[in-house]
Amino acid sequence: MRAPTLDRMPTLILVRHGRSTANTEGLLAGWTPGVALDGRGAAQAAALPGRLAELPLAEIVTSPLQRCQETIRPLLDARPELTPHTDERIGECHYGDWSGRKLDELKDEPLMEVVQAHPSAAAFPGGESMRAMQTRAAEAVREWNARVERDHGADAVYLMCSHGDIIKSLVADALGLHLDLFQRISVEPCSITAIRYTRLRPFLVRLGDTGNLTSLVPREEPPGDQAQVGGGAGAP
């Protein structure tokens, strides 16, 4: 029998959208229309081309939601040779009846405890389960890996602009973590996470990289032990 090898496959750059108006207002946006970047989010997006300047991006794939579209616009302006692809499978979790509600109001819902401690069993009323969210996102990545390798070669690098819970679920998938552990992962607005895929296994090579350590500065109000559903607003 032939021994397994670590043959190369494309490297995926995951960018969480910049800080949005829903983040700063403490809302669980989901697929609510009209959620844009706030001023800080726009500045984060404007800095993205410089942060990625050394990377030869083969493709750009984005969630259809406005905050992701706005995040990659400066990058597309800097690289007019790239045409973005929209893929609904990397869109935000469908939070259903929770969409647009204040996170402070949701924290006392019995389902929130399940979302925090046992997300693989969480299904949002009128929406989807977190397992379904992870499954569709992981399927999208595997299909795009094959497409990018076919069209651009095994050493290609491509980018997906998506959302906090989607990216956390993809990191868990890459690490072989059960979905119930994905709330231990944190990705800030406009942070960069990189996964290098191979035939045998993925390698997580960057996680939530914002290019600075601002998020580690002690805050006046400690962040607490609850994971931010939807991803949170990032450092103040």
Side-chain angles (χ1 to χ4, degrees), residues 18-163:
R19 195 173 74 176
S20 72
T21 54
N23 293 145
T24 50
E25 292 170 10
L27 300 176
L28 185 61
W31 285 69
T32 304
V35 177
L37 299 183
D38 68 3
R40 180 170 180 173
Q44 291 170 332
L48 196 57
R51 295 170 63 199
L52 298 171
E54 301 299 317
L55 294 181
L57 298 176
E59 300 281 3
I60 292 180
V61 188
T62 180
S63 156
L65 295 173
Q66 180 178 339
R67 52 198 183 273
C68 287
Q69 302 278 337
E70 291 180 355
T71 297
I72 64 162
R73 177 49 53 191
L75 181 61
L76 292 170
D77 290 343
R79 303 200 188 194
E81 73 279 6
L82 292 174
T83 301
H85 305 273
T86 298
D87 194 325
E88 292 194 356
R89 295 174 297 177
I90 62 168
E92 181 62 284
C93 185
H94 291 275
Y95 296 118
D97 297 344
W98 280 26
S99 298
R101 292 182 60 187
K102 287 274 190 181
L103 287 165
D104 281 347
E105 297 174 359
L106 293 169
K107 66 183 181 182
D108 295 326
E109 294 276 357
L111 178 60
M112 183 59 84
E113 185 177 4
V114 182
V115 170
Q116 292 291 325
H118 190 20
S120 66
F124 295 97
E128 70 179 334
S129 69
M130 302 199 90
R131 286 183 292 107
M133 174 199 74
Q134 183 186 45
T135 297
R136 62 172 163 86
E139 287 177 350
V141 167
R142 281 159 176 75
E143 289 182 18
W144 276 101
N145 281 347
R147 177 172 173 175
V148 170
E149 181 181 12
R150 180 197 68 203
D151 294 345
H152 302 283
D155 291 322
V157 178
Y158 73 107
L159 180 146
M160 283 184 168
C161 185
S162 188
H163 306 265

Side-chain angles (χ1 to χ4, degrees), residues 190-224:
C190 225
S191 64
I192 293 172
T193 294
I195 302 172
R196 180 165 58 85
Y197 287 87
T198 72
R199 304 285 178 195
L200 190 57
R201 64 174 66 91
F203 292 89
L204 179 65
V205 293
R206 289 289 188 281
L207 175 61
D209 189 342
T210 61
N212 61 60
L213 300 178
T214 304
S215 63
L216 301 181
V217 175
R219 307 182 190 182
E220 292 184 8
E221 293 186 11

